[in-house]
Amino acid sequence: MIDDLAGAVRAVPPESTQQAVGYPSLFLLVVLGALVPVVPTGAVVSSAAVVALHQTVPLSLLIVFAVASLAAFCGDLGLYWLGERGVRSRNGSRWLARIQERAAPERLAQARDRLEEHGVTVLVLSRLLPAGRIPVMLACLLSRMPVRRFARGALPAALAWAATYQVIGILGGSLFAEPWEGVVAAVALTVVVGAAPALWRRARRAHREPAG
């Protein structure tokens, strides 16, 4: 299995072909992951960073960062715009319903408190926390925040998110000489980073529960 994967990586097309296909694919996957949060976009960005790290073309990593940031920003802005239409509509919309379904009531209450206290800057942290983006976005929608104001917080949030997962990819890729090994390491690091907060909350909740 590993030998077959290594052989497939060695047979990859030239770098110019990789870039012609890879950058648009990266953009579309990140936008899709922002609109429909089922695509592991963090792993996608980390893997793209590993591939760019092993390329000889200058500024490959910078291009990956720019594409991922722009895609995350466009995706967040598009989802917020669709949700805002649902808030204004008497019957709502399926996009607003999807956002509400993914926001637990207690997390929504926390997001509204943080939004009132910190304003749009809370979007930066919410973008980095697993499952933290949707409750904050819903809190912004319910507070009737204008799209322009939301965009002022979404832009630095997208930049910080892209930089974080690109660093994870660079760390994973720098550990191994073969790109496929770096991709596996980057995906594993992304999974660990994404799962750690949930495991920590679960452990704290279990510790607080009375014994027996």
Side-chain angles (χ1 to χ4, degrees), residues 26-28 30-31 34 45 62-78 127 154-155 158-159 161-162:
L26 173 63
F27 182 87
L28 291 175
V30 174
V31 169
V45 174
L62 182 60
I63 296 174
V64 168
F65 172 72
V67 171
S69 300
L70 179 62
F73 176 70
C74 291
D76 284 354
L77 208 61
R127 200 53 164 95
L155 179 58
L159 294 172
W161 173 83

Side-chain angles (χ1 to χ4, degrees), residues 33 76 84 139 147:
D76 284 354
E84 189 187 41
V147 175

Side-chain angles (χ1 to χ4, degrees), residues 141-208:
L141 287 169
L142 296 179
S143 67
R144 302 298 181 97
M145 180 182 293
V147 175
R148 289 185 179 181
R149 188 184 174 201
F150 176 83
R152 289 199 295 269
L155 179 58
L159 294 172
W161 173 83
T164 298
Y165 282 99
Q166 184 160 358
V167 168
I168 292 175
I170 292 172
L171 290 175
S174 61
L175 295 175
F176 302 96
E178 294 292 336
W180 72 269
E181 295 174 325
V183 168
V184 172
V187 171
L189 285 172
T190 303
V191 171
V192 170
V193 170
L199 293 175
W200 174 251
R201 288 194 299 268
R202 188 175 300 174
R204 290 185 61 186
R205 191 181 305 117
H207 180 71
R208 290 174 181 175

Side-chain angles (χ1 to χ4, degrees), residues 70-140:
L70 179 62
F73 176 70
C74 291
D76 284 354
L77 208 61
L79 182 59
Y80 190 80
W81 179 76
L82 291 169
E84 189 187 41
R85 290 183 62 188
V87 171
R88 293 198 306 263
S89 173
R90 178 174 300 177
N91 298 322
S93 72
R94 63 187 181 94
W95 291 101
L96 180 60
R98 285 183 178 181
I99 296 174
Q100 290 175 324
E101 289 173 358
R102 292 180 176 273
E106 62 275 8
R107 301 202 68 180
L108 176 59
Q110 293 175 0
R112 299 185 78 163
D113 292 340
R114 292 171 183 170
L115 183 64
E116 292 179 1
E117 184 177 354
H118 301 289
V120 293
T121 57
V122 75
L123 289 170
V124 177
L125 182 60
S126 71
R127 200 53 164 95
L128 299 177
L129 292 176
R133 181 175 65 103
I134 296 301
V136 173
M137 183 178 291
L138 182 57
C140 294

